[in-house]
Amino acid sequence: MVSKFLRQVVCIALTFTISYSLYSSTPQSCLLFSITKNNVARIGIVNRESKNLELLITDKFGEVLFSKSVSDYEDYFKLFDLTGMPEGDYKVKLTGGAKTFEKRFAIHDNIAMVVKEKEEVQPVFKLIDKDILIISYLNAKMSKVNIFFELNDDVVFEERNITGTPVSKKYSLSRLPHGNYVVKLYSGSKIYEYPLAVK
């Protein structure tokens, strides 16, 4: 009993130390999340904005298991014992600020583990014979993809809500008016740009 209490005190002390070092180097809001080998989740919220942040823990069906509102410029730390929770996939999400943070964890065979995010690979834009543009994008996070061809900040052509992984598109440029375009690929909160000269 005493050793468990001491472990929790050490966990909280470590979390505060980590959050302090993060705050001193980059004064931005952030979500701290880790799981110990004893199936204890450590959650820390560092709020450096004049906004209320909302923390949600949900299961794979979207059912809210825990929620907490964190006032502006306020920090929040909590330990969760995950022992005995049903097997499955879970999401920890922090919203309301300039940036949305999301962490995932899974419980299998009574062991809780943080699910590492798949690395985002940038799309490849390949121009063939000056009149064919091929766009290849892994789309590891299975986001909806939108592609825009812009000329002087006006959208000349667009294709929206492209799904699947990988995304592979081939565009003929022969009917486009001449000019210097910017091809933009939107994936979630990411925007990738490619300068395209059509002559």
Side-chain angles (χ1 to χ4, degrees):
M1 189 77 174
V2 174
S3 62
K4 185 175 181 181
F5 175 75
L6 286 175
R7 281 200 305 269
Q8 289 182 342
V9 170
V10 170
C11 286
I12 291 172
L14 284 172
T15 305
F16 271 101
T17 303
I18 292 167
S19 67
Y20 177 77
S21 63
L22 277 171
Y23 172 60
S24 60
S25 59
T26 42
Q28 297 176 352
S29 297
C30 65
L31 170 66
L32 306 170
F33 182 76
S34 62
I35 298 176
T36 70
K37 61 183 178 182
N38 298 318
N39 279 1
V40 174
R42 299 177 290 202
I43 294 180
I45 298 170
V46 180
N47 188 357
R48 295 292 169 256
E49 301 178 58
S50 59
K51 299 177 180 177
N52 288 351
L53 303 184
E54 186 72 24
L55 174 72
L56 292 176
I57 301 177
T58 57
D59 62 15
K60 64 181 179 180
F61 303 108
E63 183 179 341
V64 177
L65 306 176
F66 178 81
S67 66
K68 173 70 178 176
S69 183
V70 181
S71 300
D72 53 333
Y73 299 109
E74 194 175 284
D75 297 338
Y76 174 78
F77 301 95
K78 188 168 179 66
L79 297 173
F80 287 92
D81 188 353
L82 304 177
T83 306
M85 280 186 68
E87 292 201 353
D89 299 321
Y90 298 87
K91 185 190 296 183
V92 182
K93 194 170 185 179
L94 184 66
T95 60
K99 185 178 178 182
T100 296
F101 297 90
E102 191 174 291
K103 303 286 185 181
R104 296 176 185 270
F105 69 96
I107 299 175
H108 297 291
D109 297 326
N110 295 318
I111 297 173
M113 293 178 297
V114 175
V115 176
K116 292 185 177 179
E117 289 292 321
K118 293 180 180 178
E119 187 177 343
E120 188 68 25
V121 179
Q122 293 193 2
V124 175
F125 298 86
K126 188 173 183 181
L127 188 61
I128 299 175
D129 296 330
K130 298 182 181 180
D131 61 354
I132 298 289
L133 179 66
I134 296 177
I135 301 175
S136 301
Y137 179 52
L138 184 58
N139 196 19
K141 294 185 177 179
M142 297 290 290
S143 302
K144 285 188 177 179
V145 174
N146 299 316
I147 296 173
F148 295 84
F149 285 69
E150 295 183 4
L151 178 63
N152 300 324
D153 294 326
D154 290 327
V155 177
V156 176
F157 173 81
E158 64 183 68
E159 188 171 0
R160 293 177 177 265
N161 299 322
I162 305 164
T163 57
T165 178
V167 170
S168 182
K169 290 291 177 178
K170 183 177 180 180
Y171 298 103
S172 172
L173 310 176
S174 59
R175 295 187 178 181
L176 285 178
H178 292 180
N180 294 315
Y181 291 78
V182 177
V183 181
K184 294 181 180 178
L185 185 149
Y186 292 80
S187 176
S189 61
K190 302 258 186 187
I191 304 173
Y192 302 96
E193 297 186 358
Y194 175 74
L196 174 66
V198 177
K199 299 179 181 178

